[in-house]
């Protein structure tokens, strides 16, 4: 999958692990700061995508996550073609699932001079099913991976869709602000 990609930096962001416990602690009450981002971004606050998974269920999950982000107005995901879309949204094949290990989602990208050129995000259906993720949990995982496709990093706070073990939380104000700040900030600069 990686071989045909053009030269550039290949980075792998592993994400969302399982065993998310709903035990509320004081950490959960701490106010979340604006979601941080890395140095990479798309040239503009919009990009084309194609959903390549064959699964009707996961196509719908990706589509709902796209709609949820588009509704925020911070970034626009526009339907593209399989040949030239900037973002490819998939589900993991058996061999990919083995590579994902305990991760329910994964986003990989190539970038040149900190500009994203090609991004692939995948969901890991076998783990999502094994651990009993609900439809809304699945949607949150897809929203999280889309956050990475735009350049967002993990938010240390639990009240963010970008918390690394997030399962129950959808797109929050801090996440929208993170995207807005990402696209007001030049490529090459990151924010913690
Ligand atoms: Zn992640």
């Amino acid at each position: 999958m990686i071989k045909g990609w053009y030269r550039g930096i290949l980075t792998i962001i592993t994400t969302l692990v399982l065993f998310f416990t709903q035990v509320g602690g004081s950490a959960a009450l701490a106010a979340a700061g604006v979601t941080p981002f890395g140095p990479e971004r798309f040239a503009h606050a919009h990009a084309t995508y194609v959903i390549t998974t064959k699964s009707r269920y996961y196509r719908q999950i990706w589509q709902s996550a796209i709609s949820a982000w588009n509704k925020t107005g911070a970034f626009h995901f526009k339907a593209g073609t399989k040949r030239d879309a900037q973002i490819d949204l998939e589900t993991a094949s058996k061999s990919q699932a083995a590579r994902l290990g305990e991760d329910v989602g994964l986003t990989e990208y190539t970038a040149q001079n900190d500009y994203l050129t090609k991004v692939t995000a995948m969901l890991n259906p076998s783990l999502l099913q094994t651990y009993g993720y609900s439809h809304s949990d699945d949607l949150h995982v897809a929203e999280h991976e889309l956050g990475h496709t735009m350049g967002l990093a993990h938010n240390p706070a639990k009240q963010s869709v970008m918390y690394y073990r997030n399962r129950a939380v959808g797109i929050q104000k801090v996440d929208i602000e993170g995207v807005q700040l990402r696209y007001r900030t030049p490529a090459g600069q990151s924010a913690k």
Side-chain angles (χ1 to χ4, degrees):
M1 178 190 69
I2 290 155
K3 275 184 184 163
W5 292 13
Y6 40 113
R7 70 206 154 85
I9 306 155
L10 172 71
T11 311
I12 297 175
I13 305 167
T14 53
T15 45
L16 303 169
V17 199
L18 324 173
F19 310 122
F20 176 76
T21 47
Q22 292 266 11
V23 181
S26 54
L29 300 172
V34 173
T35 298
F37 51 83
E40 298 87 5
R41 53 169 276 184
F42 279 109
H44 307 284
H46 54 81
T48 53
Y49 72 91
V50 63
I51 300 174
T52 55
T53 179
K54 299 276 195 292
S55 157
R56 187 190 170 97
Y57 176 81
Y58 288 102
R59 290 185 68 81
Q60 189 264 322
I61 290 289
W62 278 126
Q63 198 60 62
S64 298
I66 290 277
S67 298
W69 272 114
N70 280 348
K71 228 171 65 183
T72 71
F75 192 93
H76 188 67
F77 291 99
K78 190 171 174 276
T81 65
K82 201 167 183 174
R83 196 169 58 81
D84 59 15
Q86 292 162 289
I87 302 168
D88 183 6
L89 304 172
E90 321 180 328
T91 42
S93 65
K94 261 199 176 133
S95 62
Q96 285 167 333
R99 197 158 58 83
L100 261 67
E102 293 294 278
D103 293 322
V104 291
L106 176 78
T107 298
E108 298 175 309
Y109 58 87
T110 54
Q112 288 178 308
N113 302 319
D114 294 319
Y115 283 105
L116 296 168
T117 50
K118 179 79 183 176
V119 184
T120 299
M122 63 182 77
L123 298 172
N124 193 353
S126 55
L127 275 192
L128 290 166
Q129 288 158 21
T130 299
Y131 291 97
Y133 276 55
S134 68
H135 178 273
S136 74
D137 292 342
D138 290 344
L139 178 58
H140 299 150
V141 175
E143 289 171 352
H144 176 106
E145 297 308 326
L146 287 178
H148 284 315
T149 71
M150 295 180 280
L152 291 184
H154 289 149
N155 191 322
K158 288 180 178 175
Q159 280 303 310
S160 162
V161 77
M162 296 310 293
Y163 180 64
Y164 82 115
R165 289 174 112 169
N166 178 49
R167 172 168 172 170
V169 176
I171 300 165
Q172 303 295 301
K173 191 161 173 269
V174 290
D175 304 313
I176 299 167
E177 288 169 348
V179 176
Q180 289 167 338
L181 189 58
R182 165 65 291 186
Y183 285 87
R184 284 200 303 268
T185 306
Q189 294 179 27
S190 54
K192 281 190 178 172

